[in-house]
Amino acid sequence: MLITRIEKDGLMGRKTGNALATPIAGALGADVRGIDLSEPLSDDVWAALETAFLDHKVLAIRDQTLDPATFLAFSKRWGDVHFYPYMDGLPEEPEVFEILAKPDAQRIFGNRWHSDQMYDPTPVKVTLLYAKDLPPVGGDTLFSNLELAYEHLSDGMKTMLSGLKIYCDGADKSRYGGMSREQWYAKGGMAEKLNAPEQEPVIGIHPLIRTHPETGRKCLYIGDQVQRFDGMSAEDSKPLLDYLMKHIERPEFTCRVQWEPGTLVLWDNRCTCHYAIADYAGHTRRMHRVTIAGDVPV
Ligand code: OGA
Ligand code: MN
């Protein structure tokens, strides 16, 4: 273990962003209160939001009342919508998806450390998730700051990792306990939302050390959609992958968002991983979700 205490300020560059955003942990994440996304945002507020997003990587914007069209309009200010092939959207807004966990769900969407759609040659930039129905308690989401995770590797390890590429396969059944994506969705109670695409890209090969296109900061770009390192077998890759996956889960790199009615969370998939906690059996959790298209990772 390289460190006993996270040195954040030197790494993050900026400290607390601005008055709009209040950090919720040392590593990443901030609460945003006092704005109403159903009203047009002033240029100042919009600029403060963008700065806070790059500073904190995860923003929990509280107390919103958004219909799907308004949610989508706000989402589109972050870029073009990323097409998610595997699910049908809402009838009234096909670019907005409903993520549903029924009380008897046996699988919870996102219940593993991952960054969204790493198996896509151009993975998602921003995911926006808006709470519609929450369990009485539980259903929080964890996030990990992959820039901190990178910084806290030793120099020798950084050098060793610098040329590696990750090989991600979105159709790999081992991720779903041997099940197809269809079977997996059905276990979560979302069978009726399934869309079965024929010709969608499912292989992404990306640099393991990714440079953020806006901030220039490096991160350890890894998540459970990585099968192996490019040019290496799964068997050869496993010890190092296991080590790095464990590394990014260190509590010091993480924050935990507790959802409230009306919370909208947006996160930067280019430098974070997240994990949906499956601790609310017997209750419903329903979210609206939009994903925004990103760049080819470099
Ligand atoms: C997602 C996801 C986490 C959650 O929507 O991509 O992983 O807590 N969601 O629902
Ligand atoms: Mn996800």
Side-chain angles (χ1 to χ4, degrees):
M1 199 61 69
L2 186 64
I3 43 134
T4 55
R5 191 168 67 89
I6 296 296
E7 298 292 345
K8 181 183 148 196
D9 292 345
L11 296 172
M12 302 286 282
R14 284 165 283 185
K15 280 191 177 173
T16 53
N18 49 53
L20 203 66
T22 307
I24 59 168
L28 80 168
D31 269 347
V32 175
R33 295 185 190 272
I35 61 172
D36 179 356
L37 303 182
S38 69
E39 303 280 330
L41 296 181
S42 70
D43 289 348
D44 284 353
V45 169
W46 184 247
L49 261 187
E50 286 180 322
T51 304
F53 177 71
L54 292 178
D55 278 350
H56 301 290
K57 303 175 172 51
V58 177
L59 297 181
I61 307 178
R62 306 293 187 173
D63 307 317
Q64 302 304 309
T65 307
L66 301 173
D67 58 32
T70 317
F71 174 45
L72 182 62
F74 172 71
S75 301
K76 283 183 169 171
R77 292 203 53 178
W78 298 90
D80 296 331
V81 172
H82 176 104
F83 177 61
Y84 186 65
Y86 299 107
M87 237 191 267
D88 284 327
L90 296 177
E92 67 271 34
E93 286 298 347
E95 290 173 311
V96 179
F97 294 89
E98 183 182 75
I99 304 294
L100 176 65
K102 291 180 179 169
D104 61 350
Q106 294 170 279
R107 301 261 159 179
I108 296 297
F109 190 85
N111 177 225
R112 47 186 214 276
W113 280 106
H114 67 285
S115 178
D116 288 331
Q117 277 151 280
M118 289 177 85
Y119 55 80
D120 194 311
T122 51
V124 169
K125 171 187 171 190
V126 187
T127 303
L128 300 101
L129 201 60
Y130 176 55
K132 296 298 290 179
D133 282 323
L134 293 172
V137 66
D140 297 351
T141 309
L142 299 174
F143 294 89
S144 174
N145 180 340
L146 301 181
E147 291 171 0
L148 280 181
Y150 173 72
E151 279 302 323
H152 288 86
L153 296 168
S154 62
D155 288 344
M157 181 62 113
K158 286 179 189 161
T159 305
M160 192 181 92
L161 299 183
S162 64
L164 290 181
K165 293 195 167 196
I166 51 172
Y167 183 97
C168 312
D169 180 354
D172 178 11
K173 287 189 177 179
S174 65
R175 291 181 52 224
Y176 303 114
M179 284 182 276
S180 66
R181 197 182 285 266
E182 289 84 342
Q183 291 165 323
W184 184 82
Y185 270 36
K187 286 243 178 205
M190 295 208 291
E192 70 278 8
K193 299 184 194 306
L194 187 79
N195 185 31
E198 293 300 323
Q199 299 290 334
E200 292 303 329
V202 289
I203 304 292
I205 302 174
H206 309 299
L208 172 63
I209 309 305
R210 179 175 184 181
T211 303
H212 195 287
E214 293 183 71
T215 66
R217 293 187 205 129
K218 289 181 178 178
C219 81
L220 183 60
Y221 189 51
I222 200 158
D224 97 316
Q225 294 168 357
V226 178
Q227 269 75 46
R228 57 182 174 81
F229 299 107
D230 192 35
M232 289 169 63
S233 67
E235 195 179 23
D236 287 352
S237 307
K238 189 171 185 312
L240 183 54
L241 269 184
D242 286 350
Y243 171 76
L244 295 175
M245 285 300 293
K246 182 136 180 54
H247 179 68
I248 66 166
E249 296 170 14
R250 284 193 62 192
E252 288 80 1
F253 303 147
T254 71
C255 72
R256 177 173 184 141
V257 170
Q258 285 193 299
W259 296 85
E260 298 167 4
T263 296
L264 184 166
V265 178
L266 62 158
W267 63 83
D268 192 340
N269 284 293
R270 300 167 296 184
C271 55
T272 63
C273 268
H274 55 282
Y275 181 106
I277 302 179
D279 62 350
Y280 51 94
H283 298 281
T284 297
R285 183 175 183 269
R286 198 163 61 89
M287 319 294 265
H288 283 176
R289 179 185 197 253
V290 175
T291 47
I292 299 300
D295 308 303
V296 174
V298 290

